[in-house]
Amino acid sequence: MKKLMSFIILVALALTVAGCSTNKDEASIIIYDGTFSEMRIVHQMVKMVVEDHTDATVDIRDEMDEVNTFKEMVAGNVDILNTYDGTLLTTFLKLDTADIPAGMTLYDYANQVASAEKGVHMLDKLGYENTYAVGVLPATAEKYNLKTISDLAAVSDQLVFGAEHGFYTEEGSMKYGPFTKFYGLNFKENKPLDLALKYTAIENGNIDVTIVYTTDGLNKQAGLVVLEDDRSFFPEYYDALLVRNDLFDRFSDVAPNLEEVLNSLGGQFTEETMTDLTYEVDVNGRTPEEVAHEFLLNKGLISK
């Protein structure tokens, strides 16, 4: 009886090990979704092109903020993140534009450091920049004769600033404290807001000045005047897929062409294109899946 039980236990262990091995081999590429439409659209495109052109699957999980997603990626729990070279440099790596060696681009330097120190790197740029910008209503721009961010300095004590909570964090140098110090701004009040409420707040007069993103469809709807960053405080923010260095080796059996497939998204977008895509989601109420699928079909990047 003891021999029989030992045999059963051994068989069970063997099956468990085999099952674990199978699950590991068939594991999905893991993505945690972003907190705004642009990231969600691109993540859906990643899933669609990968599953159309390889035998790999992509698991898009519930949204997580970028900083925590990056930490999980470095820990080995996330495979791909749609982000920006400026975010990689200033927020994830906690470096600044002054650290970039002469003759190197922000993208190349951030990639070099990230690969060497964190085991991750960016693929080809998707083709557009989505940098921070400062927006005001047309009436506010006219009343105070605002054309540049420097123009705000003389009247900031009469204005209320508002932005999403993430702009007030200490993660990285491109945030509220360094920004206001750099431009000498002293707003009458500043209000952290939920991202979804920011545009309503400025349209209703609850705030006067806000941070926008250059490819934000809601900014297009609101018709805000974007003030020129005349002293070049904000760095480049070119979009690209950030991946773990070991991704392509791990999926070489089921997706030997994975790098090529992901880079098929490179250079496919302009600022205008991405603004239109986010507008479809944020203003017209379409899903990121619908918008991503339509775009990829029209570009011939997926077959159905």
Side-chain angles (χ1 to χ4, degrees):
M1 183 68 178
K2 288 182 179 179
K3 289 183 178 180
L4 178 60
M5 290 300 296
S6 297
F7 176 75
I8 292 172
I9 291 170
L10 286 171
V11 170
L13 285 172
L15 289 173
T16 299
V17 171
C20 289
S21 175
T22 300
N23 288 338
K24 184 176 178 62
D25 291 341
E26 295 177 356
S28 293
I29 295 169
I30 303 300
I31 296 176
Y32 277 87
D33 219 354
T35 56
F36 53 95
S37 294
E38 183 173 303
M39 294 180 70
R40 294 177 185 138
I41 291 168
V42 174
H43 286 162
Q44 288 296 328
M45 290 183 181
V46 168
K47 178 178 176 67
M48 291 173 190
V49 295
V50 168
E51 294 183 351
D52 189 66
H53 296 288
T54 78
D55 291 328
T57 58
V58 177
D59 181 6
I60 300 178
R61 300 182 177 178
D62 289 342
E63 69 180 50
M64 183 187 296
D65 70 83
E66 283 186 283
V67 172
N68 284 322
T69 302
F70 180 75
K71 291 176 180 176
E72 289 296 310
M73 173 176 273
V74 173
N77 301 321
V78 176
D79 293 310
I80 299 175
L81 168 64
N82 177 46
T83 189
Y84 311 89
D85 55 359
T87 301
L88 178 61
L89 180 76
T90 64
T91 301
F92 298 160
L93 299 175
K94 302 186 186 304
L95 297 171
D96 212 334
T97 52
D99 298 312
I100 303 171
M104 286 192 78
T105 66
L106 187 158
Y107 170 89
D108 288 337
Y109 179 62
N111 233 2
Q112 175 181 290
V113 176
S115 182
E117 297 183 2
K118 304 296 184 180
V120 301
H121 68 279
M122 285 187 145
L123 300 183
D124 294 349
K125 295 178 185 178
L126 298 188
Y128 67 96
E129 186 181 10
N130 185 16
T131 190
Y132 284 117
V134 175
V136 298
L137 288 172
T140 304
E142 183 177 356
K143 178 179 179 180
Y144 296 100
N145 193 28
L146 301 176
K147 295 181 176 64
T148 68
I149 300 177
S150 290
D151 292 338
L152 278 172
V155 297
S156 61
D157 59 350
Q158 303 173 53
L159 302 172
V160 177
F161 181 91
E164 58 271 25
H165 296 276
F167 191 66
Y168 291 93
T169 70
E170 298 302 318
E171 295 281 359
S173 57
M174 298 297 117
K175 304 300 180 179
Y176 181 77
F179 163 66
T180 52
K181 182 179 180 180
F182 180 86
Y183 268 109
L185 305 176
N186 183 29
F187 290 106
K188 179 170 64 175
E189 186 180 355
N190 69 80
K191 297 181 179 181
L193 302 164
D194 288 341
L195 182 61
L197 300 177
K198 182 172 66 174
Y199 288 99
T200 302
I202 197 166
E203 288 171 340
N204 291 344
N206 294 323
I207 61 174
D208 303 300
V209 185
T210 191
I211 285 291
V212 299
Y213 302 96
T214 49
T215 60
D216 191 342
L218 288 172
N219 182 41
K220 176 181 175 180
Q221 180 192 37
L224 300 185
V225 173
V226 173
L227 304 182
E228 179 190 350
D229 183 9
D230 54 305
R231 294 177 56 199
S232 301
F233 173 75
F234 294 114
E236 301 167 348
Y237 281 86
Y238 283 101
D239 198 2
L241 298 175
L242 187 69
V243 303
R244 285 186 51 80
N245 287 352
D246 63 1
L247 176 65
F248 304 123
D249 285 339
R250 288 191 292 112
F251 284 87
S252 59
D253 288 342
V254 292
N257 58 335
L258 181 57
E259 185 172 10
E260 178 186 352
V261 168
L262 292 174
N263 273 331
S264 70
L265 296 174
Q268 296 289 346
F269 306 88
T270 64
E271 283 82 4
E272 183 180 6
T273 300
M274 186 52 72
T275 301
D276 289 343
L277 294 176
T278 61
Y279 186 90
E280 286 299 310
V281 174
D282 293 331
V283 179
N284 291 338
R286 300 178 67 192
T287 66
E289 293 91 334
E290 289 174 330
V291 172
H293 185 258
E294 180 178 84
F295 178 85
L296 293 176
L297 271 182
N298 289 339
K299 285 282 188 177
L301 295 176
I302 56 174
S303 58
K304 60 181 179 179

